[in-house]
Amino acid sequence: MPIEKITSRKSSVVKNAAALLQKAENRSEAGLFMAEGARLCADAARSQTEIAACFFTENAAKKYKDYLDPVLKQTEHAYCIEEHIAPMLSDTKNPQGIFCVCRMPKRRADGLPVSAESDTRPCRHVLVMENIQDPSNMGNVLRTAEALGVRHLALVGACCDVYAPKVLRGSMGAVFRLPLYAVGLEDLPRLLADAGLPLYGTALRHD
C-alpha cells in the first residue's frame, strides 16, 4: 500500500482527523471516530473494524511494528506523519504515535438479537446502561461486561458517546467487539421479551 508523507500541521487530512477528537457531533456527522495507541489500533484491525485511515510516525513504526502491521493491511489510506503533528491527533499527554480513523458500525435500533452473529448460543444476558454520562465509567463498564461474557448491551437515555477517546481507552478495545444497541426506555421491555428473556418487576408494597 502506498504511504503518503505528511509534514505540515496545516494538512486538511490531519485537521479532519483531529476534529473527530473534539466533539461527538463531529464523529456522528462523519460516521467516523479516532482510535489512538498501538494496542487499541491493533485491536480495531483484529476485530474487523473498518479503518478508513492510519497515521503513524517513523519512530512508532519501528517501535510498534507488530501492532502497526495488521492496521496497515486493513486501512484504506496510510500516512506517515512528522513527530510534531502527532499531538494534534492525540488525547493523551504522551502519544505513542499511532492513530487510526475508524468507521462506526451501524447500530441496530429495531431490537435485540436472539443470538449474536458470531455465536449460535441464545441470548441470555443483556446489560442495560441508562444515562451513563462519565466516559471513564462507560469504558470500565464495557471492559468488565466483555470480561464477564455479556454479549449484548443496550444504551438507554442520554448516555455519553461510546466513541469518545476516554471510553475507547477505558474499554480496552471492547467497543470494537461488543454489539451495542440504542433503544428507547419505553421499548426495552418489549425488545427483551422478544429476545426470549424473562422480565421481573419489584415493588416496595404488595398493592
Side-chain angles (χ1 to χ4, degrees), residues 140-167:
N140 291 337
V141 168
L142 295 175
R143 182 179 72 247
T144 304
E146 183 181 39
L148 294 175
V150 177
R151 301 189 306 280
H152 305 292
L153 299 97
L155 304 176
V156 177
C159 287
C160 63
D161 180 14
V162 295
Y163 299 111
K166 286 185 178 179
V167 176

Side-chain angles (χ1 to χ4, degrees), residues 184-194 197 199:
L185 183 59
E186 65 282 358
D187 297 324
L188 191 61
R190 175 183 58 80
L191 297 176
L192 293 174
D194 289 346
L197 295 173
L199 303 180

Side-chain angles (χ1 to χ4, degrees), residues 4-137:
E4 182 179 338
K5 183 80 171 180
I6 297 180
T7 60
S8 173
R9 293 168 64 94
K10 295 181 179 180
S11 165
S12 60
V13 175
V14 172
K15 288 183 177 180
N16 290 338
L20 299 175
L21 292 174
Q22 298 166 8
K23 295 180 180 180
E25 290 79 4
N26 294 346
R27 294 188 285 272
S28 178
E29 183 177 341
L32 302 168
F33 63 95
M34 175 80 77
E36 174 184 353
R39 183 179 295 274
L40 194 61
C41 289
D43 277 348
R46 290 165 181 157
S47 302
Q48 300 304 308
T49 299
E50 292 186 26
I51 301 175
C54 173
F55 300 84
F56 60 91
T57 64
E58 289 186 3
N59 288 335
K62 297 175 183 177
K63 186 175 182 179
Y64 304 108
K65 182 180 184 301
D66 290 342
Y67 291 102
L68 183 60
D69 283 348
V71 181
L72 292 178
K73 289 178 181 178
Q74 191 164 319
T75 188
E76 297 173 13
H77 302 281
Y79 302 95
C80 182
I81 59 175
E82 296 286 349
E83 292 287 344
H84 66 93
I85 297 176
M88 290 183 63
L89 302 176
S90 176
D91 188 62
T92 63
K93 292 183 179 179
N94 300 300
Q96 293 181 329
I98 296 179
F99 317 86
C100 59
V101 175
C102 305
R103 287 197 170 86
M104 294 181 182
K106 292 183 179 179
R107 275 222 203 123
R108 284 186 48 174
D110 57 338
L112 299 169
V114 174
S115 63
E117 293 180 2
S118 60
D119 197 333
T120 58
R121 293 173 297 175
C123 175
R124 288 289 181 258
H125 303 92
V126 176
L127 176 62
V128 180
M129 296 173 286
E130 182 184 13
N131 298 331
I132 297 183
Q133 289 289 306
D134 186 279
S136 296
N137 286 347

